[in-house]
Amino acid sequence: MLFRAAILRRGRAASALLAMVVAAAVVTTMLNLFVDVQAKLRKEFRNYGANVVVVAKDGQTLPPNALNKVSSTLAGRGLAVPFAYAVARTSDGRSIVVTGTDFDQARKLNRWWSVTRWPTASQQALVGVRAAALVSPQGKPIDLNFGGRVVHLSPAGTLQTGAAEDSRIYLSLRDFEAWTQTHPSTIEIAVSGAPEEVSSVMQKLSETLPEAEVRPVRQIMEGEARVLGRTQATLLATAILIILTATLCVLATLTGWVYDRQRDFAIMKALGASQRLISGFLAAEAVLLGALGAVIGFGFGIGGAAWIGRANFHAPVVPRFSVFPTILAGSVAVALIAAILPIFLLRRVQPAMILRGE
Amino acid sequence: MFVRLVYESFRRQTRRKVLAGVAITLGVGVATAMIGVATDIGDKINRELRRYGANLVVIPQEDTLDVEIGGLNLKPASDGAYLDEAGLPKIKGMFWRNNIVGFAPMLPVTANAGDDGQMTLLGTYFSKQLSFGKTDFVTGVRSTHPWWKVQGAWPNDAAEDVLLGERLAFRLNRGPGDRIEIAGHLHRISGILSTGGAEDDEIVAPLALAQQVLGRPRAVRRIYVSALTKPEDAFARRDPKTMNAAMYDRWYCSPYAQSIAYQLQEAIPNSHAEQIRQVAQNEGVVLSSVKGLMFLITLAALFASALAVSAAMATAMFERRGEVGLMKALGAGKISVAGLFFTEALLLGLMGGLVGFAGGALLARLIGRSIFDSEITIQPVLLPLILAIAVIVTFAGSALAIRRAIELDPVYALRGEG
């Protein structure tokens, strides 16, 4: 009987199902995005660079195994880049800050660095634009003196950041250590994850490196928390709005559908069907419609979320099958609610009156 | 006759009309609110991103190299060139003055703190009252460096009170209300400053005090400017010197970080302005992805509300096959029947659209106020557009149902079949 009802009233059943599918699809998309966008945006925010720095106390250097300790504490959930500093003198007696670092890592950490060409060979340097204008115009080689030891460097490219880096010269850490005998004093770390994870990593870092100071970069952490919070709140408000509209429209469509069929129910009643049978029939129909709508809509919703993820974040949103039970239960519940109201109204009318069309 | 038919249809079938009308109103309301939020979110997030601090810095043109490590300046503080403080208010006279959220001058000097030894004193504006022409404005680190936290009170820019960096205060064992000697005078510590940066080891004072210690009135070392900018594109990176007049105008009148930097250079004599790439570059990335996300979600929402409205209209029309049959049996032509139903759809679309627009505008305002503490205003220009979309969607939703109702043989329709 259910089957025949759907076949005979194809058009109406289809439009009710369509409303159900659209609602389920939109809700699935929003739920999927809502969970995933946070992680996606966090990744974008990591482009701001380090959110934690480990600094040696009072102008000393960090112990040689500090970087290994930091890396093992991070366990792949972040990026750690060592920086060693020294003030050297150029051949005309100017003071200049020389920094030793790991170029490959620094490049990943500080994506905003605008570099003309990264050094590839030993004894090549990356020169800040302001430093380049003063000490190495037209890319001339530089001689630097630190504590009586002179090093001869050829600039590979220039670095522009708009901050202190512009007046420095960068060397590979190996060249720097061989020349100055100075070791890194700072490790800049980009810890990925939520604020709680970042603070637990910081906690662990200060336990493993008691001789150093572990500081959060508040500028980065607070800005991120704020923007992320606001974006999420907007997304939540939007999701609620869309879910509400979808639900209400499904309710309206289904109620109309059931109403439209009062004549069928009147006939069933006139032929001797009990009220309970009719209610059961309607409820079964609603459950079926809700479930079918949820399954099809879930498929479309996953597709929609994946498309938005790819179009906007260039990475697909991972489908979350854990939201499926919620969608299914929600769809069935909405369909049932949509059926209950007409059932109550139909209970009161006499079949004869409906059949007469009053 | 036609008008009367429409009127009676609305009067006698209130339930169905209200149902369809509610669906349209809801759909249009959500669409309006979403469009409002999506068009405004760029500006709102841009303002939130200003919490990352200044995105532009202005330094003297003939500046010497900074010799600083981890924010600690190793160069004699008297070294180098300075900007003139008198030029600062001119920043608010620039073409993009309304995009300047705030600016703060900085002047680090080395001060003799008596028994406590030498230390760095940073002179700046906290929230200084300035005026340019007829406009008064307040600017300083409190707007450009929002992550600076003070325990105690912020000093007055006109007074001689100072802030003590957190670590320095701990080392010297001083708190708010204590006094510290700077260059032979005692100054009251109004609060303890925590920034997470080099300032934690410094004394931060009103600019005038730093100038007095340095012995150079009106000197400023660098200016941090926090500006609302547009994400950078290939056009932004072009050199203004190589552009023709029309392109130059377009470049100059776009709020790129580059063009604002260019205008800052024009406003302040002998200066060099550039973007702080860590902040400026990344905010473009974050801004584009948040904007893109909202745009796509708005599209999804518009699509869903269009389908919902269509479904509701289709339902409403479907219920009236009997009516169509009756009209056709009485000799009405296809065109007049379709005309009647489309007129009804038009009226429904317009009414639902109007109410929905008003509701959506209220909703957008509510969202703006509760999430961003500022208004999201819906441009009235959107009204005709929204109404047109509402009517088109209503038409599209009814079209199929109307067509089928018209094609149907009146006999079947009246019997309730098909």
Side-chain angles (χ1 to χ4, degrees):
Chain A
M1 201 158 69
L2 280 174
F3 182 67
R4 286 195 62 109
I7 294 290
L8 284 176
R9 295 263 177 173
R10 250 190 342 257
R12 299 311 310 278
S15 85
L17 185 63
L18 180 70
M20 204 73 230
V21 167
V22 170
V26 170
V27 175
T28 308
T29 308
M30 287 313 291
L31 287 182
N32 262 293
L33 274 182
F34 189 67
V35 182
D36 222 60
V37 151
Q38 207 170 342
K40 293 262 184 299
L41 277 176
R42 281 235 157 78
K43 226 172 113 199
E44 306 272 352
F45 277 110
R46 284 285 52 76
N47 286 336
Y48 273 102
N51 48 6
V52 175
V53 281
V54 174
V55 193
K57 277 176 186 152
D58 295 327
Q60 293 161 339
T61 55
L62 292 165
N65 61 352
L67 186 63
N68 287 338
K69 278 186 180 172
V70 169
S71 299
S72 62
T73 312
L74 281 176
R77 287 192 302 125
L79 199 61
V81 186
F83 287 94
Y85 297 95
V87 179
R89 285 195 178 275
T90 58
S91 43
D92 55 357
R94 229 190 281 267
S95 296
I96 193 161
V97 177
V98 184
T99 311
T101 188
D102 180 336
F103 282 125
D104 289 337
Q105 299 287 86
R107 188 176 185 167
K108 277 188 227 153
L109 178 75
N110 299 329
R111 289 169 192 274
W112 69 90
W113 281 16
S114 160
V115 171
T116 53
R117 205 169 73 81
W118 288 87
T120 45
S122 166
Q123 304 299 315
Q124 280 192 335
L126 186 61
V127 188
V129 278
R130 286 170 62 197
L134 284 169
V135 303
S136 150
Q138 288 101 42
K140 272 197 310 193
I142 316 161
D143 284 315
L144 291 176
N145 182 334
F146 178 82
R149 286 185 296 275
V150 177
V151 74
H152 183 78
L153 298 170
S154 54
T158 58
L159 162 71
Q160 184 168 21
T161 69
E165 293 88 353
D166 285 357
S167 15
R168 293 182 188 154
I169 294 177
Y170 282 80
L171 285 184
S172 76
L173 195 56
R174 185 184 306 179
D175 289 350
F176 182 89
E177 285 179 336
W179 169 41
T180 61
Q181 310 295 323
T182 312
H183 300 289
S185 58
T186 309
I187 297 177
E188 294 191 2
I189 309 167
V191 186
S192 43
E196 308 82 59
E197 294 171 64
V198 176
S199 34
S200 92
V201 167
M202 282 177 59
Q203 184 80 39
K204 275 189 220 144
L205 282 176
S206 28
E207 279 162 19
T208 44
L209 289 166
E211 62 276 31
E213 215 177 322
V214 180
R215 286 187 216 154
V217 183
R218 288 213 353 231
Q219 179 183 7
I220 301 299
M221 302 241 288
E222 287 187 13
E224 174 179 332
R226 179 115 173 164
V227 176
L228 212 56
R230 298 273 154 121
T231 310
Q232 272 218 295
T234 316
L235 208 58
L236 182 67
T238 318
I240 290 176
L241 269 186
I242 294 181
I243 291 175
L244 216 64
T245 322
T247 312
L248 281 173
C249 282
V250 166
L251 271 179
T253 314
L254 288 192
T255 314
W257 183 46
V258 176
Y259 245 112
D260 199 36
R261 293 165 51 205
Q262 25 184 322
R263 195 184 277 253
D264 300 2
F265 300 122
I267 293 176
M268 285 164 77
K269 223 174 182 177
L271 289 178
S274 65
Q275 180 64 44
R276 180 174 293 183
L277 182 75
I278 293 178
S279 304
F281 176 73
L282 254 178
E285 217 175 46
V287 169
L288 199 69
L289 190 73
L292 200 60
V295 172
I296 303 176
F298 185 74
F300 279 115
I302 292 280
W307 178 72
I308 289 186
R310 193 158 313 174
N312 198 40
F313 297 103
H314 310 292
V317 171
V318 188
R320 261 161 231 279
F321 293 99
S322 54
V323 300
F324 182 66
T326 323
I327 302 278
L328 188 65
S331 303
V332 170
V334 168
L336 274 178
I337 293 170
I340 282 171
L341 187 69
I343 289 178
F344 267 106
L345 292 176
L346 288 179
R347 182 172 286 177
R348 277 190 268 129
V349 276
Q350 293 299 313
M353 284 171 76
I354 296 179
L355 285 174
R356 253 168 45 207
E358 283 170 18
Chain B
M1 180 63 192
F2 187 75
V3 177
R4 182 144 170 211
L5 267 177
V6 174
Y7 172 72
E8 291 296 324
S9 158
F10 272 84
R11 197 173 71 90
R12 289 176 192 254
Q13 300 182 327
T14 324
R15 183 187 68 83
R16 286 175 183 170
K17 293 288 184 294
V18 164
L19 214 63
V22 165
I24 296 172
T25 308
L26 267 175
V28 172
V30 169
T32 310
M34 286 299 302
I35 291 176
V37 172
T39 48
D40 228 26
I41 188 117
D43 184 57
K44 295 280 182 277
I45 294 290
N46 209 337
R47 280 183 192 276
E48 294 300 328
L49 284 170
R50 298 282 79 260
R51 297 191 73 82
Y52 274 105
N55 45 4
L56 293 159
V57 62
V58 187
I59 51 173
Q61 211 168 33
E62 61 282 3
D63 201 10
T64 49
L65 287 184
D66 289 329
V67 185
E68 64 163 46
I69 297 172
L72 202 67
N73 206 336
L74 305 172
K75 193 169 56 171
S78 55
D79 219 31
Y82 296 97
L83 295 167
D84 189 350
E85 190 192 351
L88 287 186
K90 282 196 218 140
I91 292 177
K92 277 287 184 183
M94 288 174 14
F95 181 80
W96 282 112
R97 57 183 169 272
N98 292 329
N99 279 36
I100 306 287
V101 175
F103 57 87
M106 297 281 172
L107 179 65
V109 296
T110 309
N112 189 346
D115 299 338
D116 299 321
Q118 296 275 335
M119 48 192 64
T120 307
L121 177 90
L122 182 69
T124 188
Y125 289 165
F126 298 106
S127 53
K128 176 132 171 144
Q129 184 89 35
L130 288 175
S131 61
F132 179 80
K134 284 189 184 116
T135 47
D136 287 330
F137 55 95
V138 173
T139 189
V141 283
R142 294 180 70 174
S143 56
T144 55
H145 294 65
W147 67 95
W148 283 20
K149 296 271 158 17
V150 166
Q151 179 211 334
W154 286 89
N156 188 330
D157 279 291
E160 299 220 309
D161 294 351
V162 299
L163 291 175
L164 220 55
E166 193 176 45
R167 280 195 297 271
L168 182 66
F170 180 75
R171 207 161 59 230
L172 301 180
N173 194 19
R174 305 260 163 94
D178 291 346
R179 273 162 207 285
I180 186 165
E181 187 187 327
I182 299 166
H185 298 281
L186 277 178
H187 292 272
R188 201 176 72 89
I189 300 166
S190 75
I192 302 301
L193 175 72
S194 154
T195 72
E199 298 82 8
D200 284 353
D201 286 309
E202 297 172 355
I203 304 171
V204 181
L207 185 64
L209 181 61
Q211 289 166 342
Q212 195 185 316
V213 170
L214 184 68
R216 296 185 68 151
R218 307 215 319 256
V220 169
R221 184 76 214 206
R222 57 171 62 110
I223 309 163
Y224 287 105
V225 181
S226 179
L228 299 175
T229 60
K230 183 176 162 181
E232 176 180 302
D233 51 28
F235 182 55
R237 281 188 287 267
R238 293 189 52 170
D239 184 0
K241 287 194 196 85
T242 64
M243 295 178 188
N244 63 33
M247 273 165 74
Y248 175 78
D249 282 348
R250 191 155 72 82
W251 182 82
Y252 194 88
C253 299
S254 304
Y256 295 123
Q258 282 91 340
S259 44
I260 294 182
Y262 186 79
Q263 290 166 20
L264 282 169
Q265 247 159 260
E266 289 180 336
I268 299 167
N270 298 321
S271 69
H272 173 76
E274 65 181 309
Q275 45 171 326
I276 301 174
R277 293 181 62 91
Q278 180 178 16
V279 179
Q281 293 289 304
N282 289 318
E283 80 191 0
V285 173
V286 170
L287 202 59
S288 330
S289 70
V290 172
K291 265 164 114 173
L293 177 70
M294 281 314 284
F295 174 72
L296 292 176
I297 288 179
T298 307
L299 272 192
L302 290 184
F303 178 70
S305 29
L307 272 178
V309 169
S310 297
M313 280 314 287
T315 310
M317 286 299 159
F318 226 87
E319 288 180 12
R320 300 173 60 188
R321 278 158 311 169
E323 237 176 286
V324 178
L326 187 62
M327 283 156 102
K328 282 178 77 179
L330 289 176
K334 283 184 183 178
I335 296 177
S336 53
V337 175
L340 175 68
F341 283 111
F342 276 123
T343 313
E344 281 189 34
L346 176 75
L347 279 178
L348 269 178
L350 283 181
M351 286 193 296
L354 266 180
V355 180
F357 185 80
L362 274 181
L363 205 61
R365 186 182 276 249
L366 193 76
I367 291 177
R369 202 171 306 166
S370 56
I371 297 177
F372 295 102
D373 308 315
S374 64
E375 305 278 316
I376 289 179
T377 41
I378 305 275
Q379 306 295 332
V381 188
L382 272 178
L383 180 62
L385 188 76
I386 296 262
L387 282 185
I389 294 177
V391 170
I392 290 173
V393 168
T394 319
F395 271 20
S398 355
L400 190 69
I402 293 177
R403 211 179 108 89
R404 282 175 68 178
I406 291 173
E407 300 285 307
L408 202 63
D409 194 316
V411 180
Y412 289 118
L414 283 175
R415 262 175 36 205
E417 288 171 12

